[in-house]
Amino acid sequence: MAEQRLIIEMAQGVDLHGRDDTKAARRAVEQALQGASLPIFGTLGLDRDVMRVVVHVAVPRPEAVDVDVIARLLPYGTVEVVAEQGGLDVQVAGDVAVMAVAAIEVFLPVR
């Protein structure tokens, strides 16, 4: 089925003290979701479950990200989480803060 990307939301998140890539990624996704509103479903008479959502999170250690934790943050649609190399480890007063970036893409079928 043909589909079209309609929405991209981006944000960053930080775990200040735990050096936890999943926590930083979760915070980035939560921040991106706060800026997302999808009134298009009511306008077009579409069920929200028809959307496909791809969540990209970039962190220093992508293999450490629990993608199931991230996927559960998305309330609708078919969700795919892709953990990628990126983000930053930032030295902060003898500790390490982990910075993650996230991009959420929403695709809908073309009618």
Side-chain angles (χ1 to χ4, degrees), residues 45-62:
L46 292 173
D47 185 314
R48 293 175 189 269
D49 287 325
V50 302
M51 75 174 130
R52 183 171 69 92
V53 182
V54 180
V55 179
H56 297 271
V57 291
V59 295
R61 289 159 295 281

Side-chain angles (χ1 to χ4, degrees), residues 11-16 22-32 73:
Q12 70 177 26
V14 178
D15 178 29
L16 290 173
T22 298
K23 185 185 284 186
R26 180 178 50 80
R27 289 178 174 169
V29 171
E30 288 170 341
Q31 184 67 31
L73 297 171

Side-chain angles (χ1 to χ4, degrees), residues 72-85:
R72 285 193 296 269
L73 297 171
L74 287 291
Y76 304 107
T78 302
V79 178
E80 174 188 358
V81 178
V82 180
E84 303 175 24
Q85 182 70 43

Side-chain angles (χ1 to χ4, degrees), residues 8-45:
I8 302 174
E9 287 288 337
M10 295 169 267
Q12 70 177 26
V14 178
D15 178 29
L16 290 173
H17 302 291
R19 198 167 185 171
D20 185 329
D21 292 62
T22 298
K23 185 185 284 186
R26 180 178 50 80
R27 289 178 174 169
V29 171
E30 288 170 341
Q31 184 67 31
L33 287 172
Q34 288 178 12
S37 177
L38 304 176
I40 191 169
F41 291 96
T43 302
L44 298 177

